Amino acid sequence: MIYLDNAATTHYKPQNVVDAVTLALTKYSYNPNRGSNKQAQLLQQRIYDTRRVVCALLNGYSPDNTVFTANTTAALNLAILGRVVKGGHVITTATEHNSVLRPLNQLYRRGHIQLTVVTPRADGKIYADDVISSIRHNTYMTVFCHTSNVTGTKQDVATLCKAVKYARPDIITLLDCAQSVGYSTIDMKNFAADMVAIPAHKGLHGMQGCGVLCFSESAKPRPITFGGTGTDSNNLLQPDTLPDGLEAGTLNCPSILALYAAIEWWADAHKKYLSEMSNQLQLLIDGLQTINGVSVYSQLNQSGIVAFNIKGYDSSIIADILNQKYDIAVRGGVQCAPLMHKWLGTSEQGVVRVSLGCDNTREDCYQLLNAVQKLAKLNTL
């Protein structure tokens, strides 16, 4: 199979990531923060080491303010629900994933918040002027997607966040970096970002089941999950200490240890594979644009994403045929980003999203282009 759905989950997992999972399940199959035995303490140290390298990767504020969650969705929900201000106002954008749109709209529908959604301009970019003009007296948070999971368009989040902070330093700036981590530089302090949410299993090539929320001290979220932490256990209220107060229940230790290994691998490998991926993406975009009946919605981007459609055909049908007939895995539909498709004008058809990974080859690209050309020539599918 040719796997071209890496924006959902990268298929390739480095050997040291596989080894880290095996080690976690054999040598470190214990529960951190739940006992004084030395095995649990060793595991706890390994988990702290992962916090430290993630914090360094993002130029975050503190390893203690680097909290592990089940995935990026959980990290974004913790950020949004854990900082909600009843009667307050939030600004977000039409480029967002449902991991942002659904919790915000749930709060809006319940009357807890006011909500403004800023749409991109013709070039697909969000502009600071449009965000600043949306600020109200009760605005307390802005939420920006760093890179679109539909088209791969990257927003200038440093300019956006700095503009917000210049206008109102008290407004929290939250970034969804699900599609940018591992592909683009993320520098929380330079970006003026208070909170950043990332996954382990995409651009870093880690394991599913682990997300991270990093935050500044002034943006510390309140817990939204309550339970055992292994600390302050006589207290019937959730402890307010970090990071344990925001990590109720048993952590996904194999995925966390795998994330440490993934970042080690990424540090050595990413410059080479990102260069190769860029060349392959340009090949795909150029090739798709030459096929009659094909519309391309993406420009060259760092995350290896290209979205397209074949005129007159539902994107999910194209994705199914590519899989069943040509053994090529892509993603059809709306990719959990309905407002982005509304802006593109593809709400009904969706798009076929191709997303490259570090193990894809030029031959993979040629096979996809050949398959799309054949499908575009057919009168019926």
Side-chain angles (χ1 to χ4, degrees):
M1 179 182 71
I2 297 174
Y3 184 81
L4 294 170
D5 193 19
N6 291 280
T9 294
T10 48
H11 177 258
Y12 176 76
K13 305 302 177 188
Q15 187 58 49
N16 69 328
V17 169
V18 176
D19 292 342
V21 175
T22 301
L23 189 70
L25 293 174
T26 54
K27 184 176 180 180
Y28 291 105
S29 189
Y30 305 104
N31 205 323
N33 228 21
R34 299 299 194 277
S36 59
N37 64 79
K38 62 182 180 181
Q39 291 89 349
Q41 290 177 347
L42 284 171
L43 176 58
Q44 183 134 345
Q45 182 59 50
R46 289 247 175 175
I47 290 172
Y48 181 81
D49 289 343
T50 309
R51 296 187 204 280
R52 179 176 49 78
V53 298
V54 172
C55 185
L57 176 71
L58 304 179
N59 193 23
Y61 295 91
S62 167
D64 288 340
N65 291 17
T66 304
V67 172
F68 295 116
T69 61
N71 42 50
T72 318
T73 297
L76 289 165
N77 272 257
L78 174 59
I80 292 167
L81 301 179
R83 288 296 310 192
V84 65
V85 175
K86 193 166 184 178
H89 173 240
V90 178
I91 300 170
T92 191
T93 81
T95 68
E96 307 302 318
H97 188 275
N98 274 337
S99 299
V100 167
L101 297 176
R102 284 180 172 172
L104 286 177
N105 276 280
Q106 189 72 248
L107 292 171
Y108 172 73
R109 287 172 66 87
R110 292 182 178 183
H112 296 319
I113 66 168
Q114 300 164 17
L115 181 62
T116 297
V117 179
V118 177
T119 56
R121 295 191 189 178
D123 59 359
K125 298 294 185 70
I126 302 294
Y127 281 80
D129 288 349
D130 298 332
V131 174
I132 299 307
S133 65
S134 300
I135 292 177
R136 304 176 186 173
H137 74 280
N138 58 340
T139 303
Y140 70 90
M141 178 180 280
T142 59
V143 191
F144 303 126
C145 174
H146 194 189
T147 297
S148 167
N149 74 311
V150 178
T151 63
T153 299
K154 186 169 76 170
Q155 303 297 335
D156 185 357
V157 291
T159 295
L160 295 174
C161 291
K162 287 176 181 177
V164 169
K165 288 297 185 182
Y166 182 79
R168 282 268 305 279
D170 60 309
I171 296 176
I172 292 172
T173 49
L174 166 61
L175 299 181
D176 174 4
C177 295
Q179 297 298 341
S180 58
V181 69
Y183 303 117
S184 303
T185 299
I186 300 171
D187 187 326
M188 289 186 68
K189 293 172 184 173
N190 184 55
F191 286 179
D194 291 307
M195 310 175 91
V196 164
I198 66 166
H201 65 104
K202 297 191 181 190
L204 294 174
H205 294 263
M207 176 184 169
Q208 298 99 318
C210 178
V212 184
L213 180 68
C214 289
F215 49 88
S216 65
E217 194 60 34
S218 62
K220 175 184 174 182
R222 298 178 294 273
I224 61 171
T225 303
F226 302 86
T229 61
T231 57
D232 199 16
S233 294
N234 281 322
N235 190 351
L236 295 181
L237 298 177
Q238 195 75 3
D240 60 4
T241 51
L242 293 174
D244 48 294
L246 296 174
E247 292 179 342
T250 299
L251 294 172
N252 187 339
C253 300
S255 189
I256 294 171
L257 268 57
L259 177 56
Y260 182 96
I263 292 173
E264 280 191 320
W265 170 84
W266 174 89
D268 290 334
H270 75 281
K271 289 183 180 179
K272 178 183 177 182
Y273 81 69
L274 289 180
S275 176
E276 293 175 352
M277 213 168 74
S278 178
N279 292 334
Q280 291 170 18
L281 184 63
Q282 190 68 70
L283 170 65
L284 281 176
I285 292 173
D286 291 345
L288 288 167
Q289 288 176 335
T290 66
I291 301 174
N292 289 333
V294 170
S295 298
V296 179
Y297 304 98
S298 300
Q299 297 179 346
L300 187 65
N301 60 82
Q302 292 176 297
S303 296
I305 294 172
V306 58
F308 72 92
N309 272 323
I310 298 177
K311 185 177 181 180
Y313 298 113
D314 185 272
S315 62
S316 296
I317 293 175
I318 297 296
D320 287 345
I321 293 174
L322 287 172
N323 182 233
Q324 295 167 13
K325 186 174 181 179
Y326 297 96
D327 205 22
I328 299 173
V330 296
R331 174 83 178 271
V334 297
Q335 295 83 34
C336 301
L339 297 186
M340 187 63 181
H341 281 274
K342 183 178 180 180
W343 178 80
L344 286 171
T346 54
S347 294
E348 295 299 321
Q349 187 179 11
V351 298
V352 180
R353 185 188 69 189
V354 174
S355 45
L356 295 162
C358 68
D359 57 336
N360 288 123
T361 65
R362 291 177 69 85
E363 180 59 30
D364 294 340
C365 298
Y366 285 125
Q367 290 200 42
L368 174 73
L369 290 171
N370 288 335
V372 172
Q373 188 168 41
K374 290 175 183 177
L375 292 175
K377 285 181 178 179
L378 296 177
N379 290 323
T380 57
L381 293 176

